[in-house]
Amino acid sequence: MIIAMRADASAEEISLVIERITSHGMTALNLPGGDRTVIGVASSIPADLREPLTDALQALPGVDHITHVSRIYKLASREFHASDTVVNVKGVEIGGNRVAVMAGPCAVESREQLAAAAEAVKGAGARILRGGAYKPRTSPYAFQGLGEEGLKLLKEIGAAVGMPTITEVMDQHDVDVVAEHADILQIGARNMQNFPLLVAVGRTRHPIVLKRGPSATIDELMLSAEYVLNQGNQSVILCERGVHPLDRTYLRNTLDLSAVPLMKSISHLPVIVDPSHSTGDWRFVASMSRAAVAAGADGLLIEVHPDPKAALCDGQQSLKPETFAALMESLGAVARAVGRSV
Ligand code: PEP
Ligand code: MN
C-alpha cells in the first residue's frame, strides 16, 4: 500500500498516518519525494484489515490518494516509485543518462597490481573501481582474498586515483569493516538469498549492488532487494551476471540480457550487467558489454587485470588494460545510439 500525501501536508499529518500504520504492527516508510511525501507500507497487510485500513487512512487529513501494489515485492516495484531511482556514489550517478562503468581486478592481490589496474581503468574512462577482498571461491584451497588488508588497499588506491570503490561483503559480521573502507557494497550471486546479510547491508546507507543468483528467478531477486529496501536503504542496484547455463562447454553462465529491460519495466531500481562472470571468457566481454548497453543497462561491472595470466582469480575472463580501453572507445557509439552516454 502506498499513501501519497497532499503536497501541502504538514509534518503532523504525515506522523498521524505513520502512527496509524505502525499501530497495527506494520512498518511504514516515509519517503519524501520530489514535491510530496509518499508513505509506503513495507509489510503484507492481513486480508481482513485491507479495506478498513484503506478507509481509515483515506479519511485522515493530508492524505491525497492510496494505491495498492499488486506485486509480491513492494518497495522495489515501479508501482511504488514511478520514476527511475538514481543512486549517487560520491558524485557518480548510477541510473541516470550516463552509463556507469565499474572496472578493476576480480581480487585485490597487491598494491602494485591494484594501482596498475586502477590507473588503467581510470585512464580508459571507468568511473568506479572494483576489487574483491573477500572472495567466494568454489574451492577452499583457492585464493580467498586479502581480507581487511585488501580493503585497506582498495581504499588507499581508490582515493589516490579519485574513484569511488565497490567490493563484495560475504559475511554479515564484516559489513561494518567493509562499509568503513568501500563506497558500494556488493552482494555476490551466491549470497543473493543470505537474508541476515541482506538485512545487515540494508541497515547501512551505502549503495548496494545486488547480484542475481545463477538459479534465481526475477521475483526472487526482487524480494532480495526488498530485504535491503525495507531496512530503509533505498540505494539498491540490481546486477544481472548470468544464470546457470544449459551447456557449460563454452561459457561459464548464460547472460540473461532480456532481464535488463524486464527489470527496468517492473522496478525503478538501476540495473547493471556483469559481462565478465556471465561469460567467463575475456573474448566475449566486449560484445556482451555493448549488448548490455544497447539493452538499456545503467552500468557495467567488468574485470580488468594488468596481467591476466598471472591473476590469482578469474584471469581467464579478465581484460588486459588495452583491451578494456578499446572496449570503452566502442561503447560510446552504442550508448549514443540508445540516447545515452558513457
Ligand atoms: C565477483 O564479482 O567477483 C563475483 C564473485 O561475482 P559473482 O558473485 O557474480 O559470482
Ligand atoms: Mn571474479
Side-chain angles (χ1 to χ4, degrees):
M1 182 190 281
I2 301 160
I3 301 104
M5 301 301 292
R6 289 208 319 259
D8 61 357
S10 67
E12 288 73 31
E13 288 170 340
I14 293 167
S15 302
L16 205 60
V17 171
I18 293 174
E19 273 165 33
R20 185 59 68 93
I21 296 164
T22 52
S23 73
H24 292 285
M26 294 184 288
T27 307
L29 285 180
N30 181 349
L31 305 164
D35 61 341
R36 64 169 69 199
T37 289
V38 169
I39 297 163
V41 180
S43 316
S44 49
I45 304 168
D48 57 344
L49 192 60
R50 222 174 122 105
E51 221 180 288
L53 182 64
T54 308
D55 292 345
L57 291 172
Q58 188 67 72
L60 290 178
V63 172
D64 187 53
H65 64 272
I66 295 177
T67 323
H68 289 278
V69 178
S70 57
R71 306 267 185 198
I72 50 170
Y73 45 90
K74 309 293 175 191
L75 306 175
S77 77
R78 269 274 176 213
E79 289 168 82
F80 186 71
H81 193 282
S83 58
D84 287 347
T85 284
V86 179
V87 173
N88 190 312
V89 43
K90 288 191 171 160
V92 177
E93 286 188 344
I94 303 145
N97 190 262
R98 193 166 168 199
V99 176
V101 178
M102 313 177 186
C106 176
V108 177
E109 297 169 9
S110 67
R111 178 176 282 109
E112 296 66 37
Q113 171 250 14
L114 185 62
E119 270 155 36
V121 299
K122 164 110 183 174
R127 290 186 297 147
I128 296 172
L129 177 64
R130 72 152 284 154
Y134 299 94
K135 295 305 305 174
R137 303 306 299 277
T138 303
S139 164
Y141 307 119
F143 175 60
Q144 304 287 308
L146 296 180
E148 201 171 332
E149 189 197 333
L151 293 178
K152 288 185 178 143
L153 288 172
L154 185 65
K155 186 172 182 173
E156 175 194 318
I157 309 274
V161 293
M163 292 171 93
T165 57
I166 173 169
T167 198
E168 177 165 353
V169 54
M170 291 204 299
D171 185 318
Q172 69 194 91
H173 303 106
D174 294 332
V175 169
D176 287 346
V177 71
V178 176
E180 196 185 309
H181 291 86
D183 299 303
I184 304 178
L185 308 183
Q186 174 177 322
I187 300 296
R190 294 160 187 80
N191 270 318
M192 189 203 89
Q193 286 186 313
N194 180 338
F195 302 117
L197 179 61
L198 296 176
V199 169
V201 298
R203 290 188 178 140
T204 74
R205 290 299 171 265
H206 278 48
I208 307 301
V209 162
L210 177 62
K211 288 187 145 193
R212 179 181 179 191
S215 303
T217 64
I218 298 292
D219 276 357
E220 286 166 343
L221 175 62
M222 292 298 160
L223 288 169
S224 289
E226 203 75 13
Y227 268 92
V228 179
L229 294 165
N230 82 7
Q231 292 300 317
N233 186 340
Q234 304 304 305
S235 302
V236 178
I237 300 154
L238 305 169
C239 179
E240 165 59 41
R241 48 76 75 199
V243 290
H244 199 74
L246 200 54
D247 175 2
R248 255 207 178 127
T249 315
Y250 301 103
L251 298 171
R252 189 173 179 182
N253 289 294
T254 296
L255 177 56
D256 181 4
L257 260 190
S258 55
V260 175
L262 170 68
M263 292 195 288
K264 291 199 64 77
S265 73
I266 59 177
S267 177
H268 55 90
L269 299 171
V271 177
I272 67 168
V273 167
D274 174 343
S276 307
H277 292 87
S278 53
T279 58
D281 187 328
W282 70 270
R283 295 173 301 158
F284 309 124
V285 168
S287 48
M288 288 300 97
S289 298
R290 291 188 287 264
V293 170
D298 296 304
L300 296 167
L301 182 62
I302 303 176
E303 290 186 341
V304 179
H305 194 287
D307 182 7
K309 281 205 170 60
L312 298 180
C313 186
D314 285 350
Q316 74 292 347
Q317 66 194 34
S318 299
L319 297 184
K320 288 181 183 165
E322 57 270 27
T323 320
F324 178 70
L327 161 61
M328 289 299 286
E329 281 286 329
S330 72
L331 271 185
V334 178
R336 275 193 300 284
V338 292
R340 301 183 85 164
S341 61
V342 181

